[in-house]
Amino acid sequence: MIIISVDFNSNKKTLAMVETMLKADSNCCFVIVDNSPTSSLVTESFKSSMTELGLDVCLLNANEESLKPAALNNKLIVLSGHGNIGFGGGMNLATDFVNANFPVDILSNEIICLINPDVNVLSVNEGAIARLIEKNGRKALVGPSYRSRLGLIDSPYHYYGVVSGLIYMRPWRLRRQYLCGGCIFFHHSQIAHIKFDDKRYFLYWEEVDLQMDLMSSGWVLDHCKEVEISHEVGGTMPSREFALENFGKSRYLFFVKHHNWASVLCIVLTTILTALKFVLTGKAGCGKALLVGLSNGIISEANS
């Protein structure tokens, strides 16, 4: 299995993710994108920890014209030197690297996992994942079960509400399903389709955008109950304000792209009301960040 992850100043969480993944499935190759703008993911401590896990670290500069790893034999590859290019940009860098350096004709039956650094892997069954993918003609994204801190098991499916239209002037609310982006599996042969093409997204909603595009061309979403993870949502964010600003921008862009004006209006109003709630509860910084994100989304859409 090829594991792809994007790191942002969180090498302790990345180390924990790698360690738990190896305990669940020792036959893994890791491709980590280092989005840290200043400090490097690969410290001496990080290298030492990886060595203790039996992994060799191959550090590559993503700005070089050609990425030539000694790397098909290295078990952990770190792409760095490009600064912070966001979640989608980092995933694109990694999938392009895998596509170029791990040819499909050589690794014809490989499963690829996109995973966040703040995920701990509790169990993996690669055979079960492969069967679900093959059942759907390889045009499938598969998510694991999620275990909460209380030990409760949940499916990978998340939902968001939209307004589909006005019926006798009444909003009709629908729910759209997608897979949580914390951990997603797909077949190596389909890697060319896993592209985060809208560069206006920096963080949040880009994986939902990708899933909507794929489902419109016949892909399916599936749930592998034989795989379990735990996910510390937002565990790699530098601050809550940073997360809210990016969330506000990305959600607006997503709804403009995929839904009608009534849904977009509802998102704008919801964002304003949520920001007001933050202010009234003494969290003015969070409210401001959400509104700044919304404004950035409106500007970005207007300029596109």
Side-chain angles (χ1 to χ4, degrees), residues 37-67:
T38 52
S39 60
S40 172
L41 164 70
V42 186
T43 61
E44 288 303 318
S45 173
F46 184 86
K47 286 183 180 179
S48 175
S49 297
M50 290 301 168
T51 300
E52 290 177 8
L53 293 174
L55 298 177
D56 294 323
V57 178
C58 177
L59 180 61
L60 299 173
N61 191 322
N63 291 321
E64 295 174 0
E65 289 186 10
S66 178
L67 296 172

Side-chain angles (χ1 to χ4, degrees), residues 26-296:
S26 60
N27 187 27
C28 293
C29 175
F30 295 87
V31 178
I32 310 293
V33 176
D34 183 5
N35 261 1
S36 304
T38 52
S39 60
S40 172
L41 164 70
V42 186
T43 61
E44 288 303 318
S45 173
F46 184 86
K47 286 183 180 179
S48 175
S49 297
M50 290 301 168
T51 300
E52 290 177 8
L53 293 174
L55 298 177
D56 294 323
V57 178
C58 177
L59 180 61
L60 299 173
N61 191 322
N63 291 321
E64 295 174 0
E65 289 186 10
S66 178
L67 296 172
K68 296 179 180 179
L72 293 184
N73 296 320
N74 280 282
K75 299 288 282 187
L76 189 140
I77 302 157
V78 179
L79 306 179
S80 64
H82 51 271
N84 191 351
I85 54 177
F87 175 83
M91 285 296 180
N92 285 342
L93 182 65
T95 54
D96 286 346
F97 173 82
V98 169
N99 201 23
N101 293 281
F102 297 80
V104 172
D105 57 347
I106 295 176
L107 300 173
S108 57
N109 293 312
E110 201 73 29
I111 301 299
I112 294 180
C113 173
L114 307 182
I115 191 167
N116 284 3
D118 53 3
V119 164
N120 285 339
V121 182
L122 305 177
S123 64
V124 171
N125 187 325
E126 192 170 350
I129 299 168
R131 286 191 292 273
L132 286 176
I133 290 174
E134 294 294 342
K135 180 190 74 174
N136 294 299
R138 296 188 175 179
K139 296 179 71 174
L141 298 177
V142 175
S145 293
Y146 284 71
R147 184 182 291 273
S148 72
R149 292 179 180 178
L150 298 176
L152 302 176
I153 301 297
D154 198 4
S155 81
Y157 299 118
H158 285 196
Y159 302 87
Y160 67 89
V162 301
V163 177
S164 64
L166 297 181
I167 301 177
Y168 302 110
M169 300 306 291
R170 287 183 173 179
W172 187 257
R173 187 171 176 80
L174 298 177
R175 297 177 77 200
R176 298 291 175 88
Q177 178 177 276
Y178 64 95
L179 291 177
C180 174
C183 182
I184 294 176
F185 301 91
F186 63 93
H187 197 274
H188 186 198
S189 63
Q190 304 298 312
I191 194 169
H193 298 285
I194 310 301
K195 298 296 291 182
F196 298 88
D197 290 328
D198 194 335
K199 293 180 172 54
R200 298 176 302 170
Y201 294 105
F202 185 78
L203 192 64
Y204 294 121
W205 289 90
E206 59 273 87
E207 78 280 8
V208 192
D209 179 60
L210 172 66
Q211 290 176 51
M212 295 300 118
D213 289 342
L214 290 176
M215 285 192 290
S216 68
S217 59
W219 282 57
V220 299
L221 309 180
D222 217 328
H223 173 201
C224 185
K225 296 179 180 179
E226 289 87 348
V227 181
E228 283 188 19
I229 68 168
S230 62
H231 183 201
E232 182 187 349
V233 179
T236 59
M237 292 299 103
S239 69
R240 191 178 186 187
E241 288 80 5
F242 177 85
L244 286 168
E245 182 175 331
N246 283 281
F247 181 87
K249 175 185 177 182
S250 295
R251 183 170 65 170
Y252 176 83
L253 292 172
F254 175 85
F255 272 80
V256 168
K257 180 177 179 180
H258 291 281
H259 298 295
N260 60 20
W261 65 267
S263 294
V264 174
L265 179 60
C266 282
I267 287 303
V268 171
L269 292 175
T270 299
T271 302
I272 293 171
L273 290 173
T274 303
L276 179 60
K277 179 182 177 181
F278 276 129
V279 172
L280 294 176
T281 55
K283 301 173 183 175
C286 292
K288 179 182 177 182
L290 201 54
L291 292 177
V292 168
L294 174 62
S295 300
N296 289 341

